[in-house]
Amino acid sequence: MRGLFGFSIVEFFRKWKRSQWISLGLKSEQIQLNNGTSLHCWVLQKNDPHSLENRRPSMLLVHGFGADGLTGWDTQICALAKRFDLFIPDLIFFGDSTTKSSERTEIFQAECLNSMLQHFGVENVIVVGHSYGGFVAFWMAHKYPNLVRRLVIVSSAICMTPSTNDPLLEEFGSSDIEDLLIPKNVRDFKKVANFSFYKMPWLPSFIYKDLLQTMERNREQKTQLLHATVIGSKSLQALPSINQDVVIVWGQKDRIFRLEEAYVLQRHLGEKANLVVIKECGHVLPLEKPSELNQQILEFLHLDK
């Protein structure tokens, strides 16, 4: 991951952020699961697993497809660490998580996160999922209703169909979602960034090149994840519902998952789901409007005072 004159801005940024997170009390943990999976997770756990007194709520933050735990949720840490025990994993084949299993679905990701939380002694948790991470969060809520207390879905088209991405692909000029989520060159990467942000800040080309080299890691496995996704596939006969209270937070100008998908999801979930639309915001809501997202999370949990 070398940028200008052999120096990597991305590596420097990640090292700085790691140091910052450690200074805030987070620990970098590598958990070995029985199914051949090695999950990396950032953990801020102040609760005593053996005591029921003065317990803080536990929160799991699940990143989207183009990120990992560190880059996906950095702008939420300071606001949420004051009130919650935090678990911020790298999903499998992102960051430092990997598996020997041949399973590639988002359901398998959810099962692994459940096993990880059991490892840490977490009995109930609030789950926040962005984009692809929202798919994983949804399956966790469905499969483990006694574990997942509440759910925050951020810009995640859980009710998508096999044709949902067709207008996006046509606008992008491609026939495969892989070209957007795993771009092969700087030109496409810049185009994806402009699709993802409402107002993408200017970056020099060498930073795009540096970021692209980072994304190249586990390209084959990430492609397998895309093609194995159950949500939005022809193999999914009927999307199940869930019983938890849900807040759906969506960018008004999202071009990846358009706003109408948020209303479809709200109707699917029924009265227990509330929708909040953030103005002048695209798909990457945690980065574009971090204060607004943090406030919505706290209001949803009645912790905004």
Side-chain angles (χ1 to χ4, degrees):
M1 295 184 294
R2 295 296 151 188
L4 190 64
F5 306 121
F7 174 74
S8 171
I9 294 291
V10 174
E11 284 186 0
F12 175 81
F13 175 82
R14 289 184 64 85
K15 287 179 181 179
W16 174 56
K17 280 301 175 184
R18 287 177 65 92
S19 298
Q20 188 180 55
W21 281 31
I22 291 170
S23 71
L24 291 171
L26 286 103
K27 296 181 180 179
S28 174
E29 303 272 5
Q30 198 76 34
I31 302 97
Q32 308 301 323
L33 304 182
N34 293 332
N35 60 8
T37 300
S38 177
L39 278 184
H40 175 261
C41 186
W42 287 95
V43 179
L44 178 67
Q45 192 171 23
K46 295 187 177 181
N47 285 335
D48 180 352
H50 305 292
S51 175
L52 298 178
E53 297 181 1
N54 302 317
R55 296 185 68 82
R56 291 158 33 114
S58 295
M59 180 174 286
L60 175 72
L61 302 175
V62 191
H63 65 80
F65 203 87
D68 59 13
L70 186 72
T71 56
W73 298 108
D74 179 62
T75 50
Q76 279 62 58
I77 294 303
C78 289
L80 299 179
K82 299 174 184 177
R83 299 176 180 268
F84 302 96
D85 275 12
L86 295 178
F87 300 87
I88 312 170
D90 297 339
L91 290 173
I92 298 167
F93 297 125
F94 298 89
D96 293 322
S97 293
T98 187
T99 188
K100 296 178 181 177
S101 171
S102 60
E103 292 284 343
R104 295 291 184 268
T105 69
E106 76 276 24
I107 299 174
F108 180 67
Q109 300 265 20
E111 292 168 350
C112 289
L113 293 186
N114 173 62
S115 297
M116 181 195 77
L117 292 175
Q118 289 182 1
H119 169 84
F120 288 113
V122 177
E123 295 182 354
N124 54 72
V125 66
I126 300 149
V127 184
V128 183
H130 174 236
S131 196
Y132 175 78
F135 295 1
V136 178
F138 177 83
W139 287 118
M140 287 190 71
H142 172 64
K143 290 176 66 69
Y144 311 110
N146 294 328
L147 172 68
V148 179
R149 292 173 51 193
R150 291 188 177 189
L151 191 60
V152 181
I153 297 295
V154 184
S155 307
S156 184
I158 290 166
C159 291
M160 69 183 295
T161 68
S163 61
T164 296
N165 285 328
D166 289 352
L168 171 64
L169 291 171
E170 183 177 356
E171 187 178 2
F172 190 78
S174 174
S175 60
D176 195 333
I177 195 66
E178 178 186 343
D179 294 333
L180 280 86
L181 298 184
I182 320 174
K184 297 181 177 68
N185 54 62
V186 170
R187 179 183 61 82
D188 283 351
F189 191 15
K190 287 182 178 181
K191 196 173 179 180
V192 170
N194 285 315
F195 268 70
S196 300
F197 285 80
Y198 173 56
K199 291 184 178 180
M200 177 64 193
W202 179 85
L203 293 174
S205 291
F206 74 86
I207 292 184
Y208 279 103
K209 290 179 182 178
D210 201 1
L211 288 166
L212 191 61
Q213 290 180 43
T214 305
M215 295 175 69
E216 281 290 322
R217 185 180 180 191
N218 294 327
R219 169 180 281 276
E220 180 182 352
Q221 291 87 347
K222 289 175 183 175
T223 301
Q224 293 168 357
L225 293 176
L226 281 179
H227 294 298
T229 304
V230 175
I231 286 177
S233 70
K234 294 179 180 179
S235 64
L236 182 61
Q237 298 299 316
L239 186 71
S241 190
I242 55 175
N243 297 320
Q244 295 89 343
D245 289 335
V246 182
V247 64
I248 305 164
V249 190
W250 217 279
Q252 182 187 36
K253 303 294 185 179
D254 194 332
R255 296 169 69 188
I256 303 297
F257 289 144
R258 298 177 187 270
L259 183 57
E260 52 261 35
E261 288 296 322
Y263 291 103
V264 173
L265 176 58
Q266 184 184 31
R267 288 194 295 270
H268 175 75
L269 296 177
E271 294 182 354
K272 54 187 168 293
N274 183 43
L275 172 62
V276 178
V277 179
I278 306 297
K279 294 181 179 180
E280 298 185 346
C281 183
H283 185 66
V284 197
L285 207 158
L287 294 180
E288 284 196 276
K289 298 286 185 176
S291 297
E292 289 86 341
L293 176 58
N294 297 342
Q295 185 63 26
Q296 291 303 325
I297 292 172
L298 294 176
E299 287 184 5
F300 172 58
L301 300 171
H302 309 294
L303 294 170
D304 55 321
K305 302 299 183 182

